[in-house]
Amino acid sequence: MALLGAAIYIAAHASFVSLQDEDLAKQTATLKKEYAEGGRPDLLAAIVKHARSPANSFRYGLYVDGRAIASDIDAPAQPPGVRDFVYRDARGARDDARGVTTRLPDGSLLLVAVDSGGLERLDAVIITLFSLALGVILMLGLVGAILLGRHLARRLDRISATAEAIAGGDLSHRLDVPSGSLDEFDRVGASLNAMLDRITGLLEELRQVSNDLAHDLRTPLARLRSEIESGLTAPSDAPSLRATLERAQAQSDSLLSLFGAILSLAEVSAGGRQFDFVEIELGALAREVCEMHAPAIEDSGRSLHVSMSQEALTIRCEPALIRQAISNLLDNALIHTPAGTTIRLVVQPAEHQARIIVEDDGPGIPEEDMQRVLKRFVRLDRSRLTPGHGLGLSFVGSVAALHAGSLELESARPGLRAIVLVSRAADASARSNRSWPPVIPASASPLPFARPS
Amino acid sequence: MDVLVVEDDARTGELICAGLAARGHRATLVATGSAALAAMERGRFDAAVLDRMLPDMDGMEALRELRRRGSRLPILVLTALGSVTNRVEGLDAGGDDYLVKPFALDELVARLGALHRRIAEAPAKIVIDELEIDLLSRHVHRGGRYVPLQPREFDVLALMARNVGRPITRKMFLEQIWQIHYDPSTNVVDSHVSRLRGKLRSSGQGDPIETIQGIGYRLCDSG
């Protein structure tokens, strides 16, 4: 601002001086013309005429041998050229003037001058105006900065108060975010709130899992301990001791399988890049899993029907996880239904996705439990006596999510229908030689249970 | 079988060695990767059990170093990390099999036996008593009569035949035939074996497959 003021001041001053110099030069030229036409007498007459004119602002002087012979300015003779000099005004005070001195052909010196007072007043006005403007701007800036600072401090204080409350352990605190138009702080607040919601959700889930885990581990551990205790205290003959040990071993095996399920669920839920995705033909993989489960399902008095899409469905996936997900769904369909149930597995295309459906015509689950059973460790009361740890569907859901898909449950009227969606490979024609399965024996025959429906 | 056991946890190491000894094998226990490499330079072993976490070097590092030295010793990697990625890494580094802790000793011994056998021989045809298994054409005859088998039933029989007289655990069936590394709740293996049994029985005398309670199955060579 001060720099701008200085620049304007210098520019205005220079342009005013140059205008003044032009006027002085013009006036001098007029007088020289008078001199050329009529010599000194005409010149003097012109000077007197000009000096008496009310609009005139010039002062004149004619010097011969350094002495003024005609002058309305009290100043000594100046050397020829343009220069600033000092004169005495009517009251005898020193004052600044600027003038042009010209040597006439008879050797006398002609001075045409102006008082510098006008220029000085202009300079003073410019300086005053700029000082005022600068002052006002500085004041406004200062006041603005103080107000803005207070405002920012208040907003930040609210954020830090919330952060402190959360650090203090109360996770329910949130920043106030008004609805409607949001400024930058509101937007930061909204994202912080979203982050807090996510963290709270994760912590809640973690707490839930820990509780369930504690509960689900405590029961088999307690049983294991009492088996060992009874083996140690009861009168021991070798066969009964052996039976006790076998029961204890079965208990520890079920604990280990629970651990395995928790670990693989954690691995899949964490997602990330640790999986090496390859492109496979989903139909072939599903057929393989069915082939694996078919004998067990048929031995249990249930039947398995498989219906595959005619179209080859290429998906990018971790085959082991997809296989285990389908396997879990088939396991569920077998475990939670009575003998005589028909289980169907369908693989079909769905726009950019592939759909894997496992459904049964068993008792199904109540509508209100559909969402609940997808959660970890949730087991419906009537399945308390069947094997399993309540992680199977969570695992399937996590596998689907890892493959940019989803798991949905719906009633098959009667029975339960589980629908897994996974995204299809972007370019199915670019199937590499890594496709799955790697080798199908030449003698592989059509599956006896694979009836198209 | 001479087995080198590389395990830094003393109690686990002792249990493995005792288990091997109880089943008629000789076991040598070392606790570090460098001791393991030195022992393999000196002695002749039929198989090794290698823990993934060792005090002086990562088990995978020891494994790579061993393979770099040209050893073809069958190696079973033990680990507490059971994830898909860890297993792949273990097999990439040159391990022959991978077993997640905790495990049953029977499982360990059965796998070691299978590893030792797998490296030792790879015949095209196996004949056990009146059972004739052609591994190339995938045809099975019993007492001269053709036994029609489903592909997976054949794989189950072939796996037992390659390890005749030794138990094959359910896990081994699941891993080697279906490439799955989790426990399905349903009796996938039992159902396949029971079908295979039925077909073998109907074309010959007696049941050549013995059930080993809580472990798995074994194909007997004089039954």
Side-chain angles (χ1 to χ4, degrees):
Chain A
M1 188 67 208
L3 214 64
L4 180 69
I8 288 177
Y9 171 81
I10 289 168
H13 182 91
S15 111
F16 193 82
V17 166
S18 104
L19 276 175
Q20 211 173 39
D21 287 354
E22 260 174 51
D23 286 349
L24 288 171
K26 266 186 211 157
Q27 189 68 37
T28 305
T30 311
L31 292 177
K32 275 172 83 176
K33 204 171 145 207
E34 293 287 344
Y35 178 85
E37 284 168 5
R40 192 177 288 175
D42 274 16
L43 173 63
L44 285 171
I47 287 175
V48 170
K49 193 183 113 201
H50 281 293
R52 285 187 181 160
S53 155
N56 182 50
S57 61
F58 294 105
R59 307 284 192 97
Y60 306 95
L62 185 61
Y63 302 86
V64 177
D65 299 335
R67 282 186 303 108
I69 57 165
S71 165
D72 65 350
I73 182 164
D74 181 7
Q78 302 295 323
V82 181
R83 59 186 61 240
D84 294 308
F85 59 92
V86 175
Y87 76 100
R88 290 186 181 279
D89 65 13
R91 294 187 303 278
R94 293 165 65 87
D95 211 340
D96 291 323
R98 186 173 172 83
V100 178
T101 303
T102 315
R103 188 174 293 279
L104 297 175
D106 64 356
S108 59
L109 289 169
L110 171 65
L111 167 69
V112 178
V114 286
D115 185 280
S116 298
L119 181 59
E120 277 162 14
R121 278 192 300 281
L122 178 74
D123 286 350
V125 165
I126 292 176
I127 288 174
T128 311
L129 280 177
F130 266 98
S131 305
L132 275 173
L134 190 64
V136 167
I137 287 168
L138 281 179
M139 281 302 289
L140 281 177
L142 194 65
V143 169
I146 290 171
L147 287 179
L148 186 65
R150 282 216 192 127
H151 176 69
L152 292 183
R154 241 188 355 258
R155 301 290 292 264
L156 286 174
D157 276 350
R158 257 183 270 156
I159 294 179
S160 81
T162 308
E164 274 164 27
I166 290 166
D170 184 356
L171 276 173
S172 65
H173 275 263
R174 290 293 177 276
L175 294 159
D176 295 329
V177 178
S179 53
S181 68
L182 300 179
D183 65 10
E184 285 75 4
F185 274 93
D186 293 332
R187 281 205 294 276
V188 169
S191 7
L192 284 176
N193 280 350
M195 183 189 79
L196 288 169
D197 288 345
R198 174 93 179 110
I199 291 174
T200 314
L202 285 173
L203 281 176
E204 178 55 32
E205 195 179 329
L206 188 64
R207 200 181 59 80
Q208 184 67 36
V209 169
S210 322
N211 285 351
D212 293 339
L213 195 57
H215 178 267
D216 275 59
L217 284 181
R218 198 182 289 271
T219 316
L221 273 173
R223 265 190 239 136
L224 175 60
R225 195 187 182 289
S226 54
E227 290 291 356
I228 294 171
E229 197 176 11
S230 79
L232 288 173
T233 54
S236 54
D237 59 288
S240 74
L241 209 53
R242 189 177 170 80
T244 306
L245 279 175
E246 275 168 3
R247 281 196 302 275
Q249 189 177 35
Q251 281 299 329
S252 61
D253 283 349
S254 92
L255 268 170
L256 287 177
S257 105
L258 174 59
F259 266 115
I262 292 169
L263 286 178
S264 51
L265 180 57
E267 185 187 23
V268 173
S269 303
R273 293 189 208 141
Q274 76 267 43
F275 294 105
D276 188 16
F277 278 31
V278 294
E279 288 189 1
I280 61 142
E281 208 282 292
L282 180 60
L285 180 131
R287 203 173 279 274
E288 214 178 281
V289 180
C290 285
E291 185 189 54
M292 177 172 96
H293 280 267
I297 290 174
E298 284 167 16
D299 287 355
S300 73
R302 295 163 183 82
S303 57
L304 176 62
H305 292 251
V306 181
S307 147
M308 295 292 169
S309 146
Q310 294 299 310
E311 183 189 339
L313 287 174
T314 308
I315 61 170
R316 267 189 77 73
C317 68
E318 166 58 74
L321 294 179
I322 297 290
R323 199 180 287 137
Q324 188 171 351
I326 298 175
S327 183
N328 276 3
L329 292 176
L330 290 176
D331 263 352
N332 272 352
L334 191 159
I335 292 168
H336 301 296
T337 58
T341 302
T342 302
I343 300 168
R344 284 164 45 82
L345 181 128
V346 182
V347 174
Q348 55 185 213
E351 287 192 37
H352 302 297
Q353 293 177 305
R355 195 183 283 133
I356 307 164
I357 301 171
V358 176
E359 63 182 32
D360 60 64
D361 58 0
I365 56 177
E367 203 69 46
E368 62 267 24
D369 289 328
M370 288 284 183
Q371 288 307 309
R372 210 160 66 82
V373 291
L374 295 177
K375 294 197 168 154
R376 296 176 185 196
F377 294 109
V378 170
R379 307 191 63 203
L380 299 180
D381 287 336
R382 65 181 168 77
S383 63
R384 281 280 158 207
L385 297 176
T386 55
H389 31 59
L391 289 175
L393 285 176
S394 307
F395 181 85
V396 178
S398 296
V399 169
L402 186 68
H403 294 84
S406 61
L407 164 67
E408 281 163 31
L409 296 183
E410 61 181 41
S411 170
R413 299 176 206 286
L416 180 67
R417 179 182 295 130
I419 304 167
V420 177
L421 284 167
V422 290
S423 73
R424 290 169 72 173
D427 183 6
S429 61
R431 236 180 297 165
S432 66
N433 52 5
R434 300 174 74 190
S435 66
W436 194 270
V439 181
I440 296 184
S443 61
S445 51
L447 300 175
F449 52 85
R451 288 168 236 156
S453 57
Chain B
M1 199 164 44
D2 271 317
V3 184
L4 177 67
V5 178
V6 189
E7 166 65 68
D8 61 320
D9 181 64
R11 182 75 190 125
T12 310
E14 280 163 24
L15 277 173
I16 294 174
C17 291
L20 286 169
R23 288 162 182 81
H25 304 292
R26 282 180 302 278
T28 310
L29 178 63
V30 294
T32 62
S34 43
L37 290 173
M40 286 179 209
E41 292 273 295
R42 278 198 316 273
R44 275 191 52 83
F45 296 99
D46 298 312
V49 177
L50 175 68
D51 188 44
R52 248 202 94 129
M53 309 265 205
L54 295 172
D56 57 337
M57 61 173 90
D58 187 279
M60 294 300 97
E61 219 175 287
L63 188 51
R64 275 189 210 99
E65 173 61 21
L66 191 72
R67 291 295 183 233
R68 203 182 55 75
R69 293 183 189 179
S71 166
R72 293 188 60 225
L73 185 69
I75 290 178
L76 173 72
V77 179
L78 286 186
T79 179
L81 313 164
S83 69
V84 175
T85 33
N86 284 312
R87 185 163 47 237
V88 169
E89 195 194 345
L91 297 182
D92 281 351
D96 297 289
D97 199 357
Y98 204 84
L99 191 55
V100 179
K101 283 181 182 177
F103 49 85
L105 264 172
D106 285 319
E107 184 79 43
L108 178 80
V109 176
R111 279 162 187 263
L112 279 177
L115 276 189
H116 180 43
R117 262 313 245 280
R118 199 199 294 171
I119 307 267
E121 51 191 275
K125 196 172 202 168
I126 301 172
V127 180
I128 300 153
D129 298 334
E130 53 176 358
L131 193 60
E132 209 179 292
I133 302 160
D134 189 326
L135 295 172
L136 291 180
S137 68
R138 298 173 63 88
H139 286 163
V140 174
H141 291 84
R142 194 169 189 216
R145 286 164 65 191
Y146 175 68
V147 186
L149 294 180
Q150 289 292 320
R152 298 300 158 252
E153 291 163 2
F154 177 86
D155 291 337
V156 168
L157 178 62
L159 180 57
M160 288 191 288
R162 280 196 207 97
N163 297 281
V164 65
R166 299 165 191 277
I168 303 293
T169 67
R170 288 189 176 78
K171 256 191 184 162
M172 290 164 78
F173 281 118
L174 288 171
E175 286 180 15
Q176 294 188 23
I177 293 170
W178 290 282
Q179 289 90 43
I180 65 170
H181 301 270
Y182 58 92
D183 287 328
S185 329
T186 46
N187 304 322
V188 169
V189 174
D190 298 337
S191 294
H192 276 87
V193 171
S194 112
R195 268 147 213 252
L196 171 62
R197 254 188 182 144
K199 290 181 182 175
L200 290 178
R201 263 210 212 104
S202 65
S203 27
Q205 289 77 48
D207 181 5
I209 300 173
E210 183 195 344
T211 305
I212 306 164
Q213 209 58 52
I215 297 173
Y217 298 94
R218 170 164 62 190
L219 191 62
C220 305
D221 48 2
S222 54

